[in-house]
Amino acid sequence: MTRGKTPSPAASLHEQTVRQHCRALKMPTVAGQFETLAQAAIREGHGHVQYLDALLTAEIEERERKGVVRRIQEAHLPRVKTLAEFDFRQSSVSAARLADLAAGGYIERAEPVVLIGEAGTGKTHLALGLCVAACQQRRRVRFTSASALINELVEARAASQLSRVLGRWERVDLICIDEVGYVPLMEMGAELMFQIIADRAEKAALIVTTNLPFSEWGQVFPNPRLCGAVLDRVTDQAHIIETGGESYRFKRSMAKRGAVS
């Protein structure tokens, strides 16, 4: 397209052809931006190679953005929370330690992460932040509460689909099991959760959030032998992070009330 001139019929035909090629090649960003970037290249005196570089970069960046959005959706996060949104000033958790985890090395090394603390201390927010970071690194992630996971596995077993469902979980790079300890597990549920955890040991990463210290996990897994086996796999090479015993959400709420009054 020539600056300052009305597009000729031939130019319009070429533009239509470019759009058709982009549809065939599934390059919607190129189709949407090739004219605008061409005009910018003319204004700034860029050559053909620079123009092509800018055009393909725009396509790649948009695909990456959409890929992250898709992976976050597939992760079934209850809400999208990032580590940047977490107020580390209200927590005893080290921001540097979480940033190091967010880099993803623990996923490559198949190491568990265990977040332990009372309700309102940020366990789930931190877990979600790590899940989002993993999605941004092209990892397959799945988030679930302990109760939802058990329900899914029990239903799959009743429908003779357990192997298929376990296989689907096994293909995920990072699983986050939230709220372990809030509800005691029946024997079948405990065994099924152990199977998920055992299948990932030393092979794939796992995040667990819990309100119980390890000494009280017998309340969740009433079979002592099974409880010991679960703890062995969850804590082996694990990053254990204590989020504290005082709710920072409660402190934040009280601070807001004080500011208003």
Side-chain angles (χ1 to χ4, degrees), residues 9 39 101 170 179 220 252:
Q39 293 169 0
L101 285 173
E170 190 175 354
E179 298 181 343
V220 184
R252 183 176 60 190

Side-chain angles (χ1 to χ4, degrees), residues 129-187:
L130 291 175
C131 287
V132 169
C135 289
Q136 292 169 339
Q137 296 161 6
R138 305 182 185 179
R139 314 276 190 182
R140 291 168 297 178
V141 178
R142 183 69 190 274
F143 183 100
T144 180
S145 67
S147 59
L149 175 60
I150 295 302
N151 289 339
E152 179 181 351
L153 296 177
V154 169
E155 290 175 3
R157 182 172 180 174
S160 300
Q161 296 292 322
L162 184 59
S163 296
R164 182 180 63 82
V165 171
L166 288 173
R168 188 170 67 230
W169 282 97
E170 190 175 354
R171 290 191 291 272
V172 177
D173 299 315
L174 172 64
I175 291 175
C176 179
I177 305 176
D178 194 30
E179 298 181 343
V180 173
Y182 284 85
V183 180
L185 302 178
M186 300 296 290
E187 185 174 354

Side-chain angles (χ1 to χ4, degrees), residues 23 35-36 55 59 61 81 85 103 145 189 201 234 241 246:
R23 282 196 295 271
E35 289 183 282
T36 302
L55 197 57
E59 180 70 42
E61 289 177 349
K81 294 279 190 178
E85 296 169 328
S145 67
V234 167
I241 300 170
E246 185 178 0

Side-chain angles (χ1 to χ4, degrees), residues 188-219:
M188 180 188 297
E191 291 175 356
L192 290 172
M193 181 176 287
F194 169 73
Q195 194 164 351
I196 288 285
I197 293 172
D199 286 346
R200 304 188 68 76
E202 300 183 5
K203 294 188 295 185
L206 172 72
I207 297 175
V208 172
T209 77
T210 180
N211 64 324
L212 295 179
F214 295 127
S215 61
E216 298 179 17
W217 275 40
Q219 299 176 22

Side-chain angles (χ1 to χ4, degrees), residues 66-133:
K66 289 181 178 179
V68 170
V69 170
R70 184 182 67 255
R71 285 187 288 272
I72 288 175
Q73 291 173 340
E74 292 173 348
H76 294 184
L77 305 182
R79 52 199 174 279
V80 177
K81 294 279 190 178
T82 66
L83 295 178
E85 296 169 328
F86 188 80
D87 189 356
F88 287 94
R89 297 170 301 178
Q90 300 291 329
S91 174
S92 59
V93 177
S94 166
R97 188 176 184 189
L98 265 294
D100 182 64
L101 285 173
Y106 75 100
I107 301 177
E108 296 172 1
R109 296 187 297 270
E111 296 168 347
V113 175
V114 184
L115 295 155
I116 305 176
E118 294 294 336
T121 56
K123 304 184 300 297
T124 299
H125 186 149
L126 294 172
L128 288 168
L130 291 175
C131 287
V132 169

